[in-house]
Amino acid sequence: TGSSILSALQDLFWLSKSKVEKQLQIISVLQWVLTFLIMGVACTLILMYILCTDCWAIAALYLAWLVFDWNTPKKGGRRSQWVRNWAIWRYFRDYFPIRLVKTHNLLTTRNYIFGYHPHGIMGLGAFCNFSTEATGVSQKFPGIRPYLATLAGNFRMPILRDYLMSGGICPVNRDSIDYILSKNGSGNAIIIVVGGAAESLNCTPGKNSVTLKNRKGFVKLALRHGADLVPVYSFGENEVYKQVIFEEGSWGRWVQKKFQKHIGFAPCIFHGRGLFSSNTWGLLPYSKPITTVVGEPITIPKIDNPSQKEVDFYHSIYVDSLIKLFDKYKSKFGLPETEVLEVN
C-alpha cells in the first residue's frame, strides 16, 4: 500500500541519516587524534619545505608573525568563540558520548584552578568539555572563562599553536597561569591535568588511579593568587584506549621516564579501534561514555609566600574532596560501590 511504501522510505531515510552522522562523528574524532599526534611536526616540516620553494615569502611572512606573536600564549592566548562552536565538536561529543556534569555554582568574582583527573591517553574529556562549547560549559557556568593548560612545547609549533589558542588552550607554565589569575580580571578557570605524563603511563580500562600525592605545585599557585580549587573527575576517560603497561624497573618504563624528564611527555604504546571497524585495531578511541563531574570549589585564601605546611594542608583538603566526589558519583556512572580511587 501507499502508506507501507512511505513508511519504508522513512525508515530508509532515517537509517541513512544515522549512518551519515556516525561517519561524521568518526571523522571529527580522527581529525583531533591526528592533530594531537602529528599536526605540530607536520606543520613544521611543511613550513620548512615551503621556505625552499618559490613560495618562500609566504613562509617568511608567517615566521615574522610568529616572532611578533611569540608571547601571546603566555597572555591568555587568542580564543575564538567561532572555533569553539564549530559543529564538528558536537559530532566529537556524540561519538563517545561526552557529558559535563555541574554540581555547584561558580562565582564570577573569583578565579579558579580546576584539577582534572585522570589524564587518560589524550585527555579527550578535558578537551571537549573545556576547549569547545559542545557540552555547554559557558551555559552551565555563565561568566566563567575556561583555559585548558597543556604542554608549553605545543606553542612552539607553527599553526598548531594558533589552532590550540583558538580553543582557549594555554601553556601550563607559571608565566601563563600568573597572567591569567592576576592580570585578566576575575571569572577565569584554569584546567590543569594534574597527573600529567606520569599518570598517562598507568591509564588502562577498568583502573581508576590518579597521580596526586606529590603534585602540589597547583595548590601553591592557588594560594599565591587566592584562586579556589575545584576537583574534577572524568568517569570513563581511561576506558577509550587500551595501553601496554610497563612494570616499574623494566626497560620500557625506563625509556618512558627518560622521555618524560627531558621532553615533557611520555610515549605510550596504545591502541583503539580501526577506522572502518570496531573489531580491528587502530588510532580511533573506543566509543565509551565519558562523564566529567565538576565538584564543589574549595575556598583558598591569598597568601603571597605560602609555607610548605600551608600547601600541605590545602593539598590534603583537595585530595579528600576528590575522593568524596569520586565516591559520590561512581555508582551513577557504571562503577560498583566497592570501587576505590587509588591515589598515588
Side-chain angles (χ1 to χ4, degrees):
T1 64
S3 60
S4 63
I5 293 174
L6 181 60
S7 177
L9 289 174
Q10 287 177 335
D11 290 343
L12 182 62
F13 171 77
W14 287 114
L15 180 62
S16 175
K17 182 180 179 181
S18 175
K19 286 184 177 180
V20 169
E21 287 187 345
K22 187 60 180 178
Q23 294 306 313
L24 288 173
Q25 291 169 13
I26 289 173
I27 291 170
S28 68
V29 175
L30 178 63
Q31 68 83 26
W32 171 246
V33 171
L34 294 179
T35 296
F36 184 90
L37 295 176
I38 66 173
M39 183 177 177
V41 174
C43 289
T44 302
L45 293 176
I46 291 171
L47 195 67
M48 292 173 63
Y49 171 75
I50 294 175
L51 280 171
C52 300
T53 67
D54 293 338
C55 298
W56 63 269
I58 297 174
L61 284 172
Y62 179 79
L63 288 174
W65 160 254
L66 192 63
V67 172
F68 175 78
D69 195 54
W70 190 254
N71 289 323
T72 298
K74 298 178 183 178
K75 298 180 179 180
R78 187 170 47 246
R79 74 173 56 217
S80 166
Q81 286 302 117
W82 175 65
V83 174
R84 288 175 61 89
N85 281 287
W86 276 353
I88 194 172
W89 306 131
R90 295 194 292 274
Y91 289 112
F92 183 97
R93 171 200 66 197
D94 293 340
Y95 172 85
F96 296 93
I98 296 174
R99 178 187 173 201
L100 180 65
V101 176
K102 169 186 174 180
T103 62
H104 291 79
N105 292 324
L106 298 180
L107 299 175
T108 56
T109 55
R110 301 284 293 173
N111 284 323
Y112 301 90
I113 293 180
F114 287 21
Y116 184 91
H117 313 269
H119 183 286
I121 295 292
M122 297 183 185
L124 295 165
F127 169 77
C128 184
N129 285 308
F130 302 112
S131 294
T132 80
E133 294 296 330
T135 56
V137 63
S138 293
Q139 287 73 42
K140 291 178 179 176
F141 300 102
I144 302 297
R145 292 181 297 276
Y147 294 86
L148 177 60
T150 187
L151 290 175
N154 290 325
F155 297 89
R156 302 186 186 103
M157 302 284 189
I159 309 300
L160 176 63
R161 67 189 292 277
D162 301 289
Y163 189 39
L164 295 178
M165 283 194 293
S166 67
I169 300 177
C170 68
V172 61
N173 58 32
R174 182 169 174 175
D175 289 343
S176 178
I177 295 173
D178 283 347
Y179 182 91
I180 293 171
L181 294 181
S182 63
K183 300 179 181 179
N184 200 37
S186 60
N188 302 293
I190 298 179
I191 297 88
I192 300 177
V193 186
V194 178
E199 191 172 83
S200 69
L201 297 179
N202 295 315
C203 68
T204 186
K207 186 173 184 180
N208 289 283
S209 66
V210 296
T211 301
L212 183 57
K213 279 184 179 179
N214 298 315
R215 300 295 175 106
K216 301 180 181 180
F218 73 106
V219 178
K220 189 173 184 178
L221 282 170
L223 286 165
R224 288 181 62 245
H225 293 284
D228 292 349
L229 288 171
V230 182
V232 180
Y233 197 86
S234 235
F235 295 90
E237 185 74 61
N238 285 346
E239 307 299 316
V240 297
Y241 279 110
K242 296 179 180 178
Q243 181 182 188
V244 177
I245 304 293
F246 294 103
E247 297 295 331
E248 290 292 340
S250 66
W251 66 271
R253 183 53 64 100
W254 180 84
V255 170
Q256 289 175 323
K257 286 189 173 181
K258 286 295 182 183
F259 266 85
Q260 177 189 338
K261 179 180 179 180
H262 297 292
I263 301 179
F265 73 93
C268 302
I269 299 178
F270 65 92
H271 75 83
R273 52 155 290 182
L275 181 60
F276 301 106
S277 172
S278 59
N279 296 321
T280 59
W281 287 12
L283 289 176
L284 279 178
Y286 294 105
S287 51
K288 304 286 187 179
I290 298 175
T291 305
T292 302
V293 184
V294 180
E296 182 178 3
I298 303 166
T299 303
I300 301 294
K302 189 177 186 303
I303 304 174
D304 291 334
N305 293 296
S307 65
Q308 189 60 50
K309 185 177 180 180
E310 290 168 327
V311 172
D312 291 343
F313 174 73
Y314 285 101
H315 181 268
S316 65
I317 293 177
Y318 178 86
V319 173
D320 290 341
S321 296
L322 178 64
I323 294 173
K324 289 177 181 177
L325 180 70
F326 177 84
D327 289 340
K328 182 176 180 180
Y329 289 94
K330 60 186 177 183
S331 61
K332 294 182 181 180
F333 302 119
L335 297 178
E337 283 290 347
T338 55
E339 184 71 19
V340 176
L341 178 64
E342 181 183 331
V343 180
N344 299 313

